[in-house]
Amino acid sequence: MTISTDRPVAVITGASSGIGAATARELAGRGFHVFLGARRTELSEKIAAEIDGTALPLDVTDVDSVSAFAAAIPTARVLVNNAGGAKGMASVRDADEEHWRWMWETNVLGTLRVTRALLPALLASGDGHIITVTSVAALETYDNGAGYTSAKHAQAALHRTLRGELLGEPIRLTEIAPGLVETEFSLVRFDGDEDKADKVYAGLTPLTAGDVAEVIGFAVSRPSHVNLDTIVLKPRDQASATRAFRRS
Ligand code: NAP
Protein backbone atom coordinates (compact mmCIF):
# COMPACT_ATOMS: atom_id res chain seq x y z
CA MET A 1 0.00 0.00 0.00
CA THR A 2 1.30 3.47 -0.89
CA ILE A 3 0.66 6.27 1.59
CA SER A 4 -0.27 9.64 0.08
CA THR A 5 0.75 12.98 1.57
CA ASP A 6 0.64 16.63 0.57
CA ARG A 7 3.92 17.50 2.35
CA PRO A 8 7.37 17.08 0.75
CA VAL A 9 8.71 13.62 1.60
CA ALA A 10 11.95 12.80 3.41
CA VAL A 11 13.04 9.18 3.71
CA ILE A 12 15.46 8.21 6.50
CA THR A 13 17.09 4.83 6.91
CA GLY A 14 18.06 3.70 10.42
CA ALA A 15 15.50 6.08 11.94
CA SER A 16 14.77 4.02 15.07
CA SER A 17 17.59 5.52 17.16
CA GLY A 18 20.48 7.96 17.28
CA ILE A 19 21.17 10.28 14.35
CA GLY A 20 18.35 8.85 12.21
CA ALA A 21 15.70 9.37 14.90
CA ALA A 22 16.93 12.93 15.60
CA THR A 23 16.94 13.69 11.86
CA ALA A 24 13.36 12.44 11.58
CA ARG A 25 12.32 14.96 14.24
CA GLU A 26 14.39 17.73 12.65
CA LEU A 27 12.98 17.25 9.14
CA ALA A 28 9.41 16.87 10.42
CA GLY A 29 9.92 20.21 12.18
CA ARG A 30 10.89 21.64 8.79
CA GLY A 31 7.59 20.54 7.24
CA PHE A 32 8.48 17.15 5.77
CA HIS A 33 6.39 14.00 5.88
CA VAL A 34 9.10 11.64 7.13
CA PHE A 35 9.20 7.95 6.22
CA LEU A 36 11.24 6.17 8.89
CA GLY A 37 12.93 2.92 7.87
CA ALA A 38 14.37 0.51 10.46
CA ARG A 39 14.18 -3.09 11.63
CA ARG A 40 12.98 -2.16 15.14
CA THR A 41 9.61 -0.80 14.08
CA GLU A 42 8.41 -0.78 17.70
CA LEU A 43 10.82 2.17 18.16
CA SER A 44 10.31 3.94 14.82
CA GLU A 45 6.51 3.74 15.14
CA LYS A 46 6.64 5.74 18.39
CA ILE A 47 8.71 8.47 16.73
CA ALA A 48 6.45 8.45 13.66
CA ALA A 49 3.40 8.95 15.89
CA GLU A 50 5.06 11.96 17.56
CA ILE A 51 5.94 13.68 14.28
CA ASP A 52 2.98 12.62 12.13
CA GLY A 53 5.27 10.53 9.94
CA THR A 54 5.20 6.93 8.70
CA ALA A 55 7.28 4.05 10.07
CA LEU A 56 8.00 1.20 7.67
CA PRO A 57 9.96 -2.00 8.23
CA LEU A 58 13.35 -1.90 6.53
CA ASP A 59 16.36 -4.18 6.58
CA VAL A 60 18.89 -2.61 4.22
CA THR A 61 20.76 -5.92 3.98
CA ASP A 62 17.70 -7.61 2.43
CA VAL A 63 16.87 -6.90 -1.23
CA ASP A 64 13.16 -7.76 -0.84
CA SER A 65 12.81 -5.60 2.25
CA VAL A 66 14.31 -2.61 0.39
CA SER A 67 11.95 -3.18 -2.60
CA ALA A 68 8.87 -3.34 -0.37
CA PHE A 69 10.04 -0.22 1.52
CA ALA A 70 10.53 1.81 -1.67
CA ALA A 71 7.23 0.60 -3.14
CA ALA A 72 5.33 2.02 -0.15
CA ILE A 73 6.79 5.52 -0.58
CA PRO A 74 4.79 7.73 -2.98
CA THR A 75 7.36 10.45 -3.76
CA ALA A 76 10.71 11.44 -2.31
CA ARG A 77 12.43 14.83 -2.12
CA VAL A 78 15.11 13.87 0.41
CA LEU A 79 16.83 10.57 1.18
CA VAL A 80 19.05 10.28 4.24
CA ASN A 81 21.26 7.20 3.98
CA ASN A 82 21.93 6.82 7.69
CA ALA A 83 21.52 3.10 8.53
CA GLY A 84 24.89 1.71 9.46
CA GLY A 85 27.37 1.12 12.19
CA ALA A 86 30.39 -0.83 13.35
CA LYS A 87 30.96 -4.30 14.78
CA GLY A 88 34.02 -5.01 16.89
CA MET A 89 37.53 -3.62 16.90
CA ALA A 90 40.18 -6.05 15.71
CA SER A 91 43.44 -5.88 13.84
CA VAL A 92 43.49 -7.00 10.22
CA ARG A 93 45.49 -10.02 11.39
CA ASP A 94 42.63 -11.01 13.74
CA ALA A 95 39.76 -9.82 11.54
CA ASP A 96 36.34 -11.39 12.13
CA GLU A 97 34.81 -12.01 8.69
CA GLU A 98 31.27 -11.98 10.04
CA HIS A 99 31.85 -8.52 11.48
CA TRP A 100 33.28 -7.31 8.17
CA ARG A 101 30.33 -8.80 6.27
CA TRP A 102 27.84 -7.06 8.60
CA MET A 103 29.60 -3.69 8.16
CA TRP A 104 29.88 -3.94 4.37
CA GLU A 105 26.32 -5.23 3.95
CA THR A 106 24.82 -2.49 6.13
CA ASN A 107 26.92 0.60 5.35
CA VAL A 108 27.91 -0.05 1.73
CA LEU A 109 25.46 -2.40 0.02
CA GLY A 110 22.60 -1.02 2.12
CA THR A 111 23.32 2.49 0.84
CA LEU A 112 23.58 1.15 -2.72
CA ARG A 113 20.25 -0.72 -2.53
CA VAL A 114 18.21 2.08 -0.97
CA THR A 115 19.70 4.78 -3.20
CA ARG A 116 18.97 2.80 -6.37
CA ALA A 117 15.44 2.00 -5.24
CA LEU A 118 14.58 5.65 -4.48
CA LEU A 119 16.54 7.38 -7.24
CA PRO A 120 13.62 7.49 -9.73
CA ALA A 121 11.38 9.16 -7.14
CA LEU A 122 14.11 11.62 -6.10
CA LEU A 123 14.71 12.60 -9.74
CA ALA A 124 10.97 12.87 -10.44
CA SER A 125 10.60 15.34 -7.55
CA GLY A 126 12.56 17.85 -9.64
CA ASP A 127 14.56 18.87 -6.54
CA GLY A 128 16.04 15.69 -5.01
CA HIS A 129 18.64 15.56 -2.25
CA ILE A 130 20.67 12.55 -1.12
CA ILE A 131 22.36 12.89 2.25
CA THR A 132 24.74 10.10 3.23
CA VAL A 133 25.99 9.81 6.79
CA THR A 134 29.52 8.49 6.46
CA SER A 135 32.04 9.27 9.23
CA VAL A 136 35.51 10.59 9.95
CA ALA A 137 36.23 6.87 9.39
CA ALA A 138 35.55 7.61 5.69
CA LEU A 139 38.42 10.12 5.72
CA GLU A 140 40.97 8.37 7.95
CA THR A 141 42.04 4.87 8.91
CA TYR A 142 42.94 3.74 12.43
CA ASP A 143 44.45 0.67 14.05
CA ASN A 144 41.93 -2.11 14.77
CA GLY A 145 39.28 -0.31 12.74
CA ALA A 146 39.81 -1.52 9.17
CA GLY A 147 36.46 -3.30 8.95
CA TYR A 148 34.61 -0.06 9.70
CA THR A 149 36.98 2.42 8.02
CA SER A 150 37.03 0.35 4.82
CA ALA A 151 33.22 0.15 4.78
CA LYS A 152 32.84 3.89 5.41
CA HIS A 153 35.46 4.70 2.74
CA ALA A 154 33.52 2.52 0.29
CA GLN A 155 30.17 4.06 1.24
CA ALA A 156 31.69 7.52 0.71
CA ALA A 157 33.16 6.49 -2.66
CA LEU A 158 29.71 5.36 -3.80
CA HIS A 159 28.14 8.65 -2.67
CA ARG A 160 30.89 10.85 -4.21
CA THR A 161 30.67 8.94 -7.50
CA LEU A 162 26.97 9.83 -7.74
CA ARG A 163 27.89 13.51 -7.52
CA GLY A 164 29.53 13.12 -10.94
CA GLU A 165 27.12 10.60 -12.45
CA LEU A 166 24.09 12.74 -11.59
CA LEU A 167 25.62 16.06 -12.61
CA GLY A 168 23.03 17.98 -14.64
CA GLU A 169 20.13 16.18 -12.94
CA PRO A 170 17.95 17.99 -10.37
CA ILE A 171 19.58 16.31 -7.40
CA ARG A 172 21.94 17.43 -4.66
CA LEU A 173 24.38 15.21 -2.76
CA THR A 174 25.64 15.98 0.72
CA GLU A 175 28.04 13.81 2.70
CA ILE A 176 27.89 14.20 6.48
CA ALA A 177 31.03 12.92 8.22
CA PRO A 178 30.69 13.06 12.02
CA GLY A 179 33.30 12.30 14.65
CA LEU A 180 32.25 11.10 18.13
CA VAL A 181 28.46 11.15 18.57
CA GLU A 182 26.95 9.53 21.66
CA THR A 183 24.23 7.16 20.40
CA GLU A 184 23.75 3.37 20.47
CA PHE A 185 26.68 3.17 18.01
CA SER A 186 29.30 1.99 20.53
CA LEU A 187 26.86 -0.37 22.28
CA VAL A 188 26.27 -2.06 18.90
CA ARG A 189 30.00 -2.05 18.14
CA PHE A 190 30.85 -3.71 21.47
CA ASP A 191 27.89 -6.08 21.48
CA GLY A 192 26.04 -4.42 24.37
CA ASP A 193 29.11 -3.96 26.64
CA GLU A 194 28.19 -0.68 28.40
CA ASP A 195 31.60 -0.20 30.08
CA LYS A 196 33.42 -0.36 26.77
CA ALA A 197 30.85 1.89 25.11
CA ASP A 198 31.05 4.51 27.90
CA LYS A 199 34.86 4.67 27.60
CA VAL A 200 34.54 5.90 23.99
CA TYR A 201 32.95 9.14 25.23
CA ALA A 202 34.71 9.44 28.63
CA GLY A 203 36.30 12.77 29.61
CA LEU A 204 34.89 14.83 26.76
CA THR A 205 31.59 16.21 25.57
CA PRO A 206 30.65 14.23 22.46
CA LEU A 207 28.26 15.45 19.79
CA THR A 208 24.61 14.54 20.29
CA ALA A 209 22.44 13.02 17.59
CA GLY A 210 20.55 16.32 17.60
CA ASP A 211 23.74 18.25 16.77
CA VAL A 212 24.16 16.17 13.61
CA ALA A 213 20.45 16.36 12.75
CA GLU A 214 20.51 20.17 12.89
CA VAL A 215 23.34 20.22 10.35
CA ILE A 216 21.36 17.90 8.08
CA GLY A 217 18.36 20.20 8.46
CA PHE A 218 20.53 23.16 7.46
CA ALA A 219 21.87 21.38 4.35
CA VAL A 220 18.37 20.34 3.26
CA SER A 221 16.96 23.83 3.73
CA ARG A 222 19.47 25.68 1.50
CA PRO A 223 18.07 26.95 -1.82
CA SER A 224 18.14 24.17 -4.40
CA HIS A 225 21.08 25.65 -6.36
CA VAL A 226 23.30 25.40 -3.23
CA ASN A 227 24.97 22.02 -2.69
CA LEU A 228 26.88 21.46 0.55
CA ASP A 229 29.18 18.70 -0.69
CA THR A 230 30.88 17.45 2.48
CA ILE A 231 30.38 18.46 6.08
CA VAL A 232 32.79 17.15 8.73
CA LEU A 233 31.68 17.79 12.31
CA LYS A 234 33.47 16.77 15.48
CA PRO A 235 33.34 17.65 19.16
CA ARG A 236 35.61 20.56 20.09
CA ASP A 237 37.83 18.10 21.99
CA GLN A 238 38.36 15.79 19.00
CA ALA A 239 41.07 16.58 16.45
CA SER A 240 41.01 13.34 14.45
CA ALA A 241 39.60 9.81 14.54
CA THR A 242 42.34 8.82 17.00
CA ARG A 243 43.21 12.04 18.81
CA ALA A 244 40.94 13.56 21.45
CA PHE A 245 41.50 15.58 24.61
CA ARG A 246 39.99 13.87 27.66
CA ARG A 247 39.63 15.41 31.12
CA SER A 248 40.09 12.88 33.92
P1 NAP B 1 22.67 3.93 16.25
O1 NAP B 1 21.97 4.67 17.34
O2 NAP B 1 23.19 2.56 16.53
O3 NAP B 1 21.72 3.92 14.97
C1 NAP B 1 21.94 3.05 13.88
C2 NAP B 1 20.65 2.95 13.10
O4 NAP B 1 20.89 2.09 11.96
C3 NAP B 1 19.53 2.32 13.91
O5 NAP B 1 18.34 3.06 13.73
C4 NAP B 1 19.39 0.92 13.31
O6 NAP B 1 18.02 0.54 13.30
C5 NAP B 1 19.85 1.17 11.87
N1 NAP B 1 20.26 -0.07 11.22
C6 NAP B 1 21.29 -0.88 11.54
N2 NAP B 1 21.30 -1.96 10.71
C7 NAP B 1 20.23 -1.81 9.88
C8 NAP B 1 19.69 -2.59 8.83
N3 NAP B 1 20.24 -3.76 8.47
N4 NAP B 1 18.59 -2.14 8.17
C9 NAP B 1 18.01 -0.96 8.55
N5 NAP B 1 18.48 -0.18 9.53
C10 NAP B 1 19.58 -0.61 10.20
O7 NAP B 1 23.97 4.76 15.77
P2 NAP B 1 24.14 6.20 15.08
O8 NAP B 1 25.36 6.77 15.68
O9 NAP B 1 22.89 6.98 15.11
O10 NAP B 1 24.50 5.76 13.59
C11 NAP B 1 23.90 6.34 12.44
C12 NAP B 1 24.96 6.45 11.34
O11 NAP B 1 25.96 7.38 11.76
C13 NAP B 1 25.69 5.15 11.01
O12 NAP B 1 25.83 5.06 9.60
C14 NAP B 1 27.04 5.34 11.67
O13 NAP B 1 28.05 4.58 11.03
C15 NAP B 1 27.23 6.83 11.50
N6 NAP B 1 28.19 7.48 12.40
C16 NAP B 1 28.07 7.38 13.76
C17 NAP B 1 29.01 8.01 14.58
C18 NAP B 1 28.95 7.93 16.08
O14 NAP B 1 29.94 8.25 16.75
N7 NAP B 1 27.83 7.57 16.67
C19 NAP B 1 30.06 8.72 14.00
C20 NAP B 1 30.13 8.81 12.62
C21 NAP B 1 29.20 8.19 11.83
P3 NAP B 1 17.47 -0.94 13.59
O15 NAP B 1 18.46 -1.63 14.51
O16 NAP B 1 16.14 -0.69 14.23
O17 NAP B 1 17.34 -1.57 12.25
Side-chain angles (χ1 to χ4, degrees):
M1 194 187 74
T2 313
I3 297 121
S4 67
T5 175
D6 49 15
R7 285 172 282 163
V9 166
V11 180
I12 305 175
T13 69
S16 58
S17 65
I19 295 168
T23 303
R25 293 193 170 95
E26 170 74 27
L27 296 188
R30 289 180 177 275
F32 283 89
H33 184 128
V34 179
F35 283 79
L36 300 91
R39 295 166 304 176
R40 291 171 297 169
T41 46
E42 70 281 8
L43 298 180
S44 54
E45 272 164 9
K46 279 194 192 136
I47 301 162
E50 279 171 39
I51 63 172
D52 194 18
T54 306
L56 295 171
L58 172 68
D59 181 349
V60 298
T61 69
D62 178 337
V63 179
D64 295 336
S65 171
V66 173
S67 299
F69 177 72
I73 296 172
T75 58
R77 228 250 322 120
V78 174
L79 165 63
V80 184
N81 282 313
N82 166 76
K87 282 273 183 204
M89 281 197 81
S91 64
V92 171
R93 194 194 315 233
D94 295 329
D96 178 329
E97 268 199 41
E98 276 313 307
H99 283 170
W100 275 63
R101 197 165 285 116
W102 187 96
M103 290 186 269
W104 278 73
E105 269 290 341
T106 310
N107 295 285
V108 188
L109 292 167
T111 298
L112 173 67
R113 290 185 189 108
V114 176
T115 303
R116 287 179 70 195
L118 286 169
L119 200 47
L122 289 161
L123 287 168
S125 77
D127 186 19
H129 198 157
I130 299 172
I131 310 262
T132 303
V133 182
T134 64
S135 169
V136 292
L139 307 169
E140 300 175 54
T141 58
Y142 53 88
D143 295 356
N144 304 316
Y148 185 57
T149 59
S150 65
K152 285 302 193 186
H153 274 70
Q155 182 191 32
L158 182 169
H159 173 93
R160 292 171 203 161
T161 301
L162 282 173
R163 183 85 173 96
E165 290 179 355
L166 296 174
L167 206 55
E169 305 278 4
I171 198 147
R172 287 183 280 167
L173 281 122
T174 301
E175 178 181 347
I176 305 282
L180 290 163
V181 191
E182 192 162 14
T183 62
E184 292 178 15
F185 174 86
S186 294
L187 270 180
V188 172
R189 178 169 226 172
F190 298 120
D191 208 16
D193 186 328
E194 288 189 18
D195 284 345
K196 273 192 185 172
D198 288 347
K199 283 203 180 89
V200 174
Y201 311 107
L204 54 74
T205 306
L207 298 176
T208 65
D211 294 330
V212 182
E214 272 187 15
V215 170
I216 293 174
F218 178 79
V220 165
S221 59
R222 294 312 86 207
S224 64
H225 68 286
V226 178
N227 192 84
L228 289 170
D229 281 83
T230 309
I231 303 174
V232 182
L233 66 157
K234 290 181 256 185
R236 189 183 64 197
D237 286 332
Q238 184 182 19
S240 71
T242 51
R243 191 165 172 216
F245 184 84
R246 294 178 196 271
R247 288 159 192 86
S248 51

